[in-house]
Structure formats: structure tokens, C-alpha cells
């Protein structure tokens, strides 16, 4: 009858901590509704892989555990899961507000500065370059990019990075207002911006994903898988002749990949990989990156305002919407604009900056993948 | 302080600072090129509109609309006389 107590005998305190962490993730997903589609599978997976002698990971009598297999095929071998998710995300995005006001492209670029500042900080506190790069990419506010970069660079902190990326994305409505208020006055937050969109033709919307893929591919070849999948999804959406595929990419494909992605990442959330002081440091670095991305965007807008005439000034908060957390960040900016002045509607500008952040974060990931492996 | 600095890998920090510079430059270059490409696309909304809905334009209207776009009106001035332009209903483009 020893087999009945076999599991109990192998419990470690680290595994018990992981059950607790899994429970907290499930609680946050259900009770607080924080990114439930990712945090719930990750939370459940964290419990599943940390049961003693778990058959979900490792090899049991020659058979590979299902989560190990999903991880090795879907993430380790080809990065298929995060990349397929990008097709769905691309199909969901309407780049119209950005195309009608292309100046907003620069806000997406400026709001990636937190990634690189965090890179320096992570190096300063002793992380290896590949781990520092992987931790800093949390600031991209883009879960699939964070997973892909940390996996390609073979960072041992990938599970912590995935948890941090998705948790902070869900916490954008709390993190961003605090960061923005640090560097803006109420008068600046009340700046009104006229909305005069240029007309965007269907041809422009069709050519845009193709042009972006070619440009990103030529300048940062490592980003082409990320950008290409995102833009492929968008082309399906905009071409007008593949409505069924567009619908499938936005719903079925995105849901299916999300369903598997969360629980697959959990395969790497074993106690020995997760219970480290570095996990706490990764969480801290992710928060730092998010805050400095927002501040970077705001400061860039304030810098531009130095050269703009009264009446044409940009509300600096729009710069903070240049992070990739879509559409939460745009909503936060609209809400803060209304708080400063009840007739101050910034939503369309913020949405434009926000979708620009989608492209810029993916490009940032590609640039990190272009530069860092050469230094290792 | 000296102890802290000695524990820090200065080579890594130098590389991280270089990545900050190169990374931000790279992102701005990519976004600037995309910005210019979109500006170029938006320069010719009439042509694009024609591609979307050719039935809405007759040939002559389309020609007039293209010629009134900024880059084309400059070219138009160079290659036509005032009389040509009057005949083509483009007489508002001055010499």
C-alpha cells in the first residue's frame, strides 16, 4: 500500500509555495478579472506541474508529460504559440486611427525607452545580458513578445517573465495613472487636442501591413517573424475578401492558442525554476520597465511641445499610450483626460499611439533579438 | 560603494548602454521609415479612392484630381501652358 503515500512522501515546501502562487493567480483571474484567459491556465498549470511526481511533466515510463510535450513543440522548437497568437492579434487591430494621424508612430517608439533603461538596471544588479534583455522586454507590455524573446535568448526566468508581463498588463489602470501623475501637472493633463483625421483609403490599409513587414524585415530581420505574423493577421482583416479567415483568426485561433499558451508556459513553472530571489527581482524590473515606458512616452510628448505653438500642443499623456497594452492604455488616458477637464476627449489620439505601440513593441523585441545574441 | 562597483560587471553595463543607444535609434529609424511610407500613401488619397471605387470617377475627373495634388501641380506647371490648363479645367494652377 506504499504507492498511496508515495506522492505525500515527495512533497517539498517549494512545491507547496508554488501551489499557493498558482492559487493566487487563479484568485486574481477569477475574483479581480486580471487577464483571466492567461493567468487562470498559468495558475492551474503551476499547481499541476508542482504535484509530486507529476505525470504532466518529465518522462513517465518512456512517455513524455503532456505539458512538456506542448512546451517543446509549441514554444521551444518553433515559438509557434506566441507567433500564431500574433496572427489573431493582428486581425483584431484597426490601424485606421494611426494611419489617419501618422505622427503618432513616434509615440510608440518613444514609449519603448523603459525596456532599454531596465536593461541597464538589470545588468547593474548582476543579471547576465540574456536574462537582463529578457526581463526588460516585460516593458514591451506585450505577453507573446516577452515569451518569445526570453525563450529565444534561453533565459531561465521565462516563467517569471511571462507571469510578470501578463500581470502588469492587467495592472495598467493602476500603474499608468501613478506614473503619468509623477511627471505631469494638472494643466498639462487638461491640454485639449483637436481631432482632424485624414481620410484613409482601403488601398492604404491593405498596403500598410505589407510595407511594415518589408521595412521591419530589412532593418531588423530578427523581428520579421513577430512583425510578419502580426501584419499577416492585419492583412487578412483589411483585404476584404477573407472575412471568414479574419473572423476565425480573431476568435477561434486566438482563443485556442491562448487556451494552450497559458498552461504550456506553466510547464516551466516548476518550484526549482521559480522559487528564487531572482523571481522577485524580475517582478520588480518588470514594474520598473512599465513605469519608465509610460514616463518615456510622456517626456517625449513634452519635448515635442517645446517646439509646438499654443493650440497645437500635444497632451503629454498621449505619449504614455505608446505602450503596447491595447486598449487598456488608451482607455486610461481618455479617463485621465476627462478627470483633468470634463470636455477633454483624447481617446482617438490615445488609440492611435496605442496601436503604434503594438508595432513598436514588436520591433523592440526584434531589435533586442538582433543585437543581444551577437554579444553573448 | 567601491565594493558595490567592484561587484558590477562594467563590461556588461557598457554593452547595455550601447544596446540602449542602438535599440532606441533602431526603433526610431523603423518607425520613421514607416511614418514616411504612410505619409506617401496618404499623399494620393484620390488615386487610392479611385482604386477602391473606380465607378465613381470618370477619366477626366481623376486626371484633374491627380494634377491638383501638391507634387503633381508643380510638375503640371512645368510641362503645360496656361492655355493647356484652361482646356483641362486646371486653370486655377497658376504659372
Amino acid at each position: 500500500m506504499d504507492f498511496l503515500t508515495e506522492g505525500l512522501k515527495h512533497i517539498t515546501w517549494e512545491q507547496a509555495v508554488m501551489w499557493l502562487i498558482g492559487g493566487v493567480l487563479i484568485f486574481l483571474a477569477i475574483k479581480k478579472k486580471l487577464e483571466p484567459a492567461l493567468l487562470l491556465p498559468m495558475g492551474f498549470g503551476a499547481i499541476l506541474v508542482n504535484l509530486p511526481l507529476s505525470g504532466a511533466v518529465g518522462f513517465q515510463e518512456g512517455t513524455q508529460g503532456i505539458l512538456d510535450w506542448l512546451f517543446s513543440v509549441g514554444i521551444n522548437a518553433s515559438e509557434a504559440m506566441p507567433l500564431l497568437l500574433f496572427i489573431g492579434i493582428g486581425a483584431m487591430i484597426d490601424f485606421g486611427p494611426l494611419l489617419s494621424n501618422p505622427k503618432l508612430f513616434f509615440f510608440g517608439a518613444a514609449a519603448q525607452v523603459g525596456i532599454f533603461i531596465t536593461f541597464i538596471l538589470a545588468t547593474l544588479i548582476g543579471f547576465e545580458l540574456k536574462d537582463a534583455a529578457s526581463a526588460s522586454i516585460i516593458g514591451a507590455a506585450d505577453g507573446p513578445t516577452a515569451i518569445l524573446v526570453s525563450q529565444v535568448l534561453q533565459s531561465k526566468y521565462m516563467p517569471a517573465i511571462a507571469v510578470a508581463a501578463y500581470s502588469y498588463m492587467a495592472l495598467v489602470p493602476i500603474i499608468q495613472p501613478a506614473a503619468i501623475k509623477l511627471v505631469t501637472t494638472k494643466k498639462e493633463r487638461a491640454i485639449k487636442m483637436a481631432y482632424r483625421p485624414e481620410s484613409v483609403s482601403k488601398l492604404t490599409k491593405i498596403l500598410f501591413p505589407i510595407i511594415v513587414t518589408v521595412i521591419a524585415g530589412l532593418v531588423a530581420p530578427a523581428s520579421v517573424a513577430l512583425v510578419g505574423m502580426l501584419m499577416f493577421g492585419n492583412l487578412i482583416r483589411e483585404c476584404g475578401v477573407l472575412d471568414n479567415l479574419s473572423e476565425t483568426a480573431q476568435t477561434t485561433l486566438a482563443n485556442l492558442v491562448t487556451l494552450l499558451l497559458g498552461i504550456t508556459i506553466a510547464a516551466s513553472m516548476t518550484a526549482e525554476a521559480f522559487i528564487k530571489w531572482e523571481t522577485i527581482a524580475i517582478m520588480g524590473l518588470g514594474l520598473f520597465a512599465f513605469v519608465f515606458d509610460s514616463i518615456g512616452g510622456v517626456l517625449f510628448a513634452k519635448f515635442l511641445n517645446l517646439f509646438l505653438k499654443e493650440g497645437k500642443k500635444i497632451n503629454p499623456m498621449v505619449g504614455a499610450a505608446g505602450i503596447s497594452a491595447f486598449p487598456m492604455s488608451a482607455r486610461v488616458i481618455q479617463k485621465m483626460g476627462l478627470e483633468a477637464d470634463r470636455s477633454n476627449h483624447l481617446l482617438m489620439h490615445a488609440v492611435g499611439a496605442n496601436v503604434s505601440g503594438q508595432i513598436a513593441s514588436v520591433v523592440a523585441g526584434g531589435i533586442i533579438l538582433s543585437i543581444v545574441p551577437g554579444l553573448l | 560603494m567601491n565594493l558595490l562597483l567592484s561587484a558590477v560587471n562594467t563590461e556588461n553595463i557598457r554593452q547595455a548602454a550601447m544596446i540602449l543607444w542602438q535599440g532606441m535609434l533602431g526603433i526610431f529609424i523603423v518607425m520613421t521609415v514607416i511614418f514616411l511610407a504612410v505619409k506617401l500613401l496618404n499623399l494620393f488619397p484620390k488615386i487610392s479612392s479611385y482604386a477602391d471605387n473606380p465607378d465613381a470617377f470618370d477619366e477626366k475627373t481623376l486626371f484633374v484630381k491627380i494634377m491638383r495634388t501638391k507634387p503633381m501641380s508643380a510638375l503640371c506647371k512645368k510641362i503645360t501652358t496656361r492655355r493647356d490648363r484652361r482646356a483641362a479645367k486646371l486653370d486655377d494652377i497658376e504659372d
Side-chain angles (χ1 to χ4, degrees):
Chain A
M1 292 297 279
D2 273 357
F3 73 94
L4 287 176
T5 54
E6 198 67 17
L8 281 172
K9 282 181 199 162
H10 286 85
I11 293 176
T12 62
W13 69 267
E14 288 95 342
Q15 285 172 333
V17 173
M18 287 308 294
W19 301 344
L20 197 65
I21 291 172
V24 170
L25 292 179
I26 293 172
F27 171 79
L28 291 174
I30 296 173
K31 190 76 181 170
K32 302 288 177 187
K33 294 190 169 55
L34 296 182
E35 293 285 332
L38 261 304
L39 292 191
L40 190 137
M42 281 164 80
F44 185 76
I47 296 171
L48 189 62
V49 301
N50 286 292
L51 290 167
L53 311 174
S54 173
V57 285
F59 280 85
Q60 303 279 330
E61 295 174 8
T63 306
Q64 193 174 13
I66 178 68
L67 294 189
D68 259 356
W69 180 80
L70 280 171
F71 189 84
S72 61
V73 172
I75 296 183
N76 214 10
S78 57
E79 315 301 339
M81 283 192 196
L83 289 175
L84 289 174
L85 189 54
F86 266 112
I87 298 178
I89 295 170
M92 289 176 206
I93 300 176
D94 176 10
F95 285 109
L98 178 64
L99 294 174
S100 70
N101 189 4
K103 287 193 291 287
L104 296 170
F105 274 107
F106 296 107
F107 292 103
Q112 307 307 316
V113 72
I115 294 174
F116 297 99
I117 293 177
T118 307
F119 198 158
I120 294 183
L121 179 70
T123 315
L124 205 63
I125 61 176
F127 279 98
E128 286 178 43
L129 276 182
K130 64 176 183 177
D131 297 322
S134 305
S136 63
I137 205 71
I138 297 169
D142 187 337
T145 304
I147 292 167
L148 189 128
V149 169
S150 54
Q151 185 56 31
V152 171
L153 295 178
Q154 298 195 321
S155 169
K156 51 186 174 289
Y157 305 115
M158 198 270 269
I161 288 165
V163 172
Y166 282 108
S167 311
Y168 292 140
M169 237 168 6
L171 292 175
V172 159
I174 297 166
I175 297 169
Q176 276 214 306
I180 291 169
K181 282 180 182 171
L182 267 180
V183 285
T184 54
T185 61
K186 192 174 178 191
K187 194 179 163 195
E188 285 171 328
R189 294 197 291 275
I191 293 175
K192 288 183 184 171
M193 292 171 70
Y195 183 59
R196 292 187 213 92
E198 289 177 29
S199 65
V200 179
S201 68
K202 190 176 169 188
L203 185 68
T204 302
K205 286 188 168 184
I206 291 172
L207 288 177
F208 177 71
I210 301 169
I211 290 172
V212 170
T213 306
V214 172
I215 293 171
L218 291 176
V219 180
S223 72
V224 85
L226 287 163
V227 177
M229 291 296 128
L230 185 74
M231 290 299 149
F232 173 56
N234 192 249
L235 183 60
I236 290 174
R237 173 199 172 97
E238 299 297 350
C239 70
V241 292
L242 293 173
D243 289 347
N244 282 346
L245 291 191
S246 171
E247 182 69 21
T248 304
Q250 290 181 47
T251 52
T252 314
L253 177 69
N255 287 341
L256 196 59
V257 177
T258 305
L259 176 78
L260 292 174
L261 185 63
I263 201 154
T264 303
I265 290 165
S268 55
M269 288 177 74
T270 53
E272 53 272 28
F274 206 84
I275 308 283
K276 294 174 176 171
W277 77 266
E278 288 98 328
T279 302
I280 298 167
I282 296 279
M283 294 285 173
L285 287 169
L287 181 61
F288 182 87
F290 254 75
V291 169
F292 272 83
D293 273 347
S294 304
I295 289 178
V298 170
L299 294 182
F300 179 71
K302 287 175 88 160
F303 173 73
L304 291 184
N305 278 346
L306 295 176
F307 308 99
L308 295 173
K309 290 177 194 160
E310 206 58 49
K312 294 215 163 185
K313 294 216 186 276
I314 298 161
N315 189 310
M317 293 193 298
V318 171
I323 67 167
S324 173
F326 179 82
M328 290 90 83
S329 187
R331 273 197 225 124
V332 166
I333 304 307
Q334 162 74 358
K335 196 169 158 231
M336 290 183 75
L338 287 175
E339 274 170 17
D341 179 336
R342 291 184 68 83
S343 61
N344 192 9
H345 293 279
L346 300 168
L347 187 64
M348 291 315 285
H349 302 286
V351 165
N354 214 178
V355 291
S356 161
Q358 289 268 331
I359 299 174
S361 66
V362 172
V363 173
I367 285 176
I368 289 214
L369 288 180
S370 300
I371 302 174
V372 175
L375 301 172
L376 296 175
Chain B
M1 189 65 186
N2 282 344
L3 190 67
L4 180 71
L5 284 175
S6 66
V8 167
N9 185 335
T10 50
E11 178 58 18
N12 274 2
I13 291 167
R14 196 189 61 77
Q15 286 179 334
M18 188 201 70
I19 290 167
L20 165 68
W21 159 244
Q22 288 186 350
M24 285 313 289
L25 185 69
I27 292 174
F28 268 97
I29 288 174
V30 173
M31 298 307 263
T32 304
V33 179
I34 296 173
F35 166 79
L36 292 174
V38 171
K39 283 300 251 187
L40 195 66
L41 284 174
N42 285 348
L43 254 186
F44 298 103
K46 302 296 179 247
I47 299 172
S48 311
S49 304
Y50 174 76
D52 292 345
N53 186 12
D55 297 338
F57 295 86
D58 62 61
E59 204 174 294
K60 194 165 181 182
T61 316
L62 180 68
F63 170 76
V64 170
K65 285 186 173 173
I66 291 171
M67 281 305 171
R68 287 214 175 97
T69 59
K70 224 177 194 174
M72 294 307 278
S73 63
L75 181 67
C76 181
K77 272 190 285 184
K78 281 188 186 156
I79 61 172
T80 58
T81 63
R82 185 178 292 215
R83 196 169 157 193
D84 293 334
R85 292 198 293 274
R86 195 175 304 128
K89 292 187 181 172
L90 287 165
D91 37 344
D92 54 325
I93 298 175
E94 298 296 329
D95 276 319

